[in-house]
Amino acid sequence: MTTPIQEDEMKTLQKWIGGKVKFTLLYKISRDGCDAWTFHTKCDCKGPTVTVIYNTKNTVYGGYTSKSWLGAGSAHYVYDPKAFLFQLRYNGKRVDKKYSIKTGEYGNAIHCCHNVGPVFGGGPDMPHIAANIDPANGVFTLKSCTLNKTYDMKGDDLSAFSDDILEVRDLEVYRVDEGMFEPGLNTWRASPEWDNKYLQSLRKEVEEYCPLEETCVDQVKVLLVGQVGAGKSSFFNTINSIFKGAVTSQASSGSTDRSLTTKLRMYQVRKGRSGRPLNFRLCDTKGLEKDDGIDPQEFCYMLDGNMPDKYTFNAASLLSPDTIGFNKTPSSKDKIHVVAIVVDATSVDVLPEEIIQKIKTLQVKINQRGIPQVVLMTKIDKVCETLQRDVSKTFCIPAVGELVEKVALIFGLPRAHIVPIKNYESEMELKSDINTLALLALRQILNFADDYLTNYLDE
């Protein structure tokens, strides 16, 4: 029989983690089954977790990571200087041992892979579950274990750590809530308190935005590019909804294998139903696919202002200077002033290499022209259950911060250029938290457009 982790043992873990934290049980093999798919379904993208193992000799040990487990995509190690292993009992007796990660091994703290469960270290340093291991008489046999590679075991060998046995009666994974939902505490990106006053100030800032007068640009142009289904058209619909005062769907959007956008559409956003257009346009374009996408030369025409609004993309007949409507003498107001790359947050770990390469090819053209870039990371509500109720917690969710870091590395951009958002999708009424997050993204985009126009004047 397994003796559950006791209150005083939980307090010891709290002390080691640092602060008064709350533990929420996510996964338990005796209840949920001992297979990797179930572990990742219940534990991925949950932020900090504690894994606790109870072996058949009543020895209790495990590991803590401040990072999220992620099972999708290829196997990879995760950097975490806060990770540690621990032992709470040995043969039923309290021992309270903490084994910190070695300084040079931060990059090997945990190992994420879709076909194994929680793995600590590059060895691994701790027993872990693999896929579809069935119990016999309530006993689960874990995978092999090595020690003294990633974590400082203080001279303890395998026998001293796990009682030299990999047969366990249970394994539990707890989410660790480190007070991370308190405004201003443990945020990965600083932000003022999200209240109605802040929302109205953001809205006013965007409504009153004007491009630099000396540039003769009346509306800055924001080009949206990204994979099919990432949410380019939905971003326009979300911004349009905010200023119209109701959830709208002016641009076609949805989930299909092929892009619903077949034309370059330079959408305007108006204040109210029939008010004045605001001083920016959101330019929607064809979605990228493995075997299709935007021709690099046509993309250059788009950036340079040669491509007319409502131009229909046709792989069999590409845009050229001889095409009707081709703008042979574009001015500064015709050009693209900032590019927003739209990425689905749930697909970051499984983005096809073909799509990444297509985007990087386009980035070369963007960089050659000195056009600023942002990445709109959509569907963040599908990354964390908390965000399904309230996206005002976005900057407090460690899993979102980790995805921002990954996207920044993939596309070679600073983290400040990676902006998480949630588009209107299932909602039928406007929500202040969704509006605030979207307007924060749009304000950043407009600030970058001003940077481009300033450089244009300097030249």
Side-chain angles (χ1 to χ4, degrees):
M1 179 177 177
T2 300
T3 303
I5 191 166
Q6 302 298 299
E7 184 178 351
D8 58 338
E9 293 171 327
M10 285 292 196
K11 288 182 178 179
T12 296
L13 288 174
Q14 286 180 329
K15 181 181 69 174
W16 286 338
I17 292 169
K20 190 174 182 180
V21 297
K22 176 185 175 184
F23 298 101
T24 302
L25 183 64
L26 299 175
Y27 173 67
K28 183 179 179 73
I29 59 174
S30 61
R31 179 192 69 187
D32 304 315
C34 186
D35 70 89
W37 184 88
T38 304
F39 160 73
H40 286 292
T41 300
K42 291 180 173 290
C43 301
D44 279 6
C45 300
K46 301 297 185 182
T49 55
V50 167
T51 299
V52 184
I53 295 174
Y54 306 84
N55 77 7
T56 55
K57 294 183 178 180
N58 199 15
T59 292
V60 179
Y61 57 97
Y64 164 79
T65 175
S66 67
K67 304 297 184 181
S68 286
W69 295 104
L70 295 170
S74 58
H76 62 283
Y77 287 96
V78 176
Y79 179 93
D80 184 8
K82 297 181 181 179
F84 62 84
L85 301 184
F86 60 83
Q87 186 187 69
L88 297 174
R89 288 180 229 152
Y90 185 83
N91 270 326
K93 295 182 180 180
R94 284 292 302 275
V95 288
D96 291 354
K97 294 182 178 181
K98 178 186 176 184
Y99 308 96
S100 300
I101 190 168
K102 296 177 181 177
T103 304
E105 294 287 340
Y106 292 165
N108 296 315
I110 61 172
H111 186 242
C112 296
C113 184
H114 71 280
N115 63 356
V116 296
V119 180
F120 285 79
D125 273 0
M126 203 178 84
H128 60 285
I129 62 173
N132 303 316
I133 298 180
D134 296 321
N137 300 319
V139 175
F140 303 81
T141 303
L142 304 184
K143 298 290 284 185
S144 62
C145 173
T146 59
L147 291 176
N148 291 317
K149 178 175 174 58
T150 307
Y151 293 85
D152 180 6
M153 301 307 298
K154 301 178 181 177
D156 285 352
D157 58 12
L158 180 60
S159 177
F161 180 62
S162 64
D163 219 347
D164 205 18
I165 189 169
L166 299 182
E167 292 182 344
V168 304
R169 295 201 178 276
D170 221 337
L171 179 149
E172 298 170 334
V173 180
Y174 292 85
R175 186 181 72 224
V176 179
D177 294 332
E178 301 179 90
M180 59 186 180
F181 300 144
E182 293 298 323
L185 294 179
N186 298 316
T187 58
W188 58 266
R189 178 169 288 170
S191 173
E193 183 177 349
W194 287 24
D195 54 18
N196 189 58
K197 182 178 179 182
Y198 183 52
L199 173 59
Q200 293 310 314
S201 71
L202 283 172
R203 178 174 174 139
K204 183 179 180 182
E205 226 178 309
V206 172
E207 282 181 357
E208 296 180 352
Y209 169 78
C210 288
L212 296 171
E213 186 177 351
E214 305 94 308
T215 63
C216 298
V217 173
D218 50 357
Q219 291 180 307
V220 296
K221 289 188 170 64
V222 182
L223 182 64
L224 305 170
V225 298
Q227 188 180 12
V228 168
K232 297 182 289 80
S233 304
S234 294
F235 178 67
F236 162 71
N237 287 336
T238 296
I239 298 298
N240 200 38
S241 299
I242 293 170
F243 289 98
K244 281 200 171 180
V247 175
T248 65
S249 187
Q250 182 177 338
S252 298
S253 60
S255 299
T256 63
D257 294 333
R258 294 290 178 179
S259 178
L260 291 175
T261 305
T262 58
K263 298 181 179 182
L264 173 65
R265 289 301 311 271
M266 300 183 183
Y267 290 112
Q268 295 195 100
V269 176
R270 297 179 180 274
K271 183 180 178 181
R273 290 194 172 188
S274 56
R276 68 169 178 86
L278 302 183
N279 295 324
F280 60 87
R281 286 179 180 249
L282 297 177
C283 305
D284 197 8
T285 188
K286 184 178 181 180
L288 303 177
E289 305 167 41
K290 284 185 180 181
D291 57 351
D292 196 9
I294 303 173
D295 177 80
Q297 182 56 58
E298 283 197 327
F299 187 69
C300 291
Y301 287 144
M302 212 183 302
L303 296 177
D304 295 338
N306 305 112
M307 185 177 289
D309 188 19
K310 300 181 182 177
Y311 168 77
T312 301
F313 295 98
N314 183 356
S317 178
L318 299 176
L319 182 70
S320 75
D322 298 326
T323 303
I324 295 175
F326 185 92
N327 185 355
K328 295 182 179 179
T329 56
S331 66
S332 58
K333 68 179 182 179
D334 300 314
K335 299 176 184 292
I336 295 298
H337 306 110
V338 61
V339 175
I341 301 167
V342 185
V343 175
D344 177 349
T346 65
S347 70
V348 170
D349 288 308
V350 292
L351 260 180
E353 187 60 31
E354 298 92 333
I355 297 297
I356 293 175
Q357 290 308 315
K358 282 178 184 287
I359 294 175
K360 288 189 173 182
T361 297
L362 301 182
Q363 282 187 291
V364 171
K365 310 298 183 185
I366 299 167
N367 291 332
Q368 287 172 348
R369 290 158 175 77
I371 300 174
Q373 303 165 54
V374 298
V375 175
L376 298 176
M377 197 170 71
T378 63
K379 304 183 184 180
I380 58 166
D381 55 314
K382 293 179 171 60
V383 169
C384 176
E385 185 179 349
T386 299
L387 298 181
Q388 294 173 16
R389 300 184 297 272
D390 183 3
V391 297
S392 72
K393 307 296 192 293
T394 296
F395 300 150
C396 303
I397 304 296
V400 179
E402 291 166 24
L403 287 173
V404 165
E405 290 187 13
K406 285 189 177 184
V407 171
L409 286 172
I410 290 172
F411 297 113
L413 294 170
R415 283 177 296 174
H417 291 234
I418 316 301
V419 188
I421 61 168
K422 187 232 178 297
N423 290 322
Y424 281 108
E425 182 184 12
S426 61
E427 297 79 10
M428 297 182 67
E429 299 287 341
L430 296 179
K431 293 187 63 183
S432 60
D433 56 330
I434 295 176
N435 291 357
T436 300
L437 198 59
L439 289 173
L440 276 170
L442 182 56
R443 184 182 66 175
Q444 184 79 321
I445 287 170
L446 297 178
N447 286 341
F448 286 161
D450 269 352
D451 291 340
Y452 172 80
L453 292 175
T454 299
N455 289 337
Y456 174 79
L457 283 178
D458 290 344
E459 293 172 1

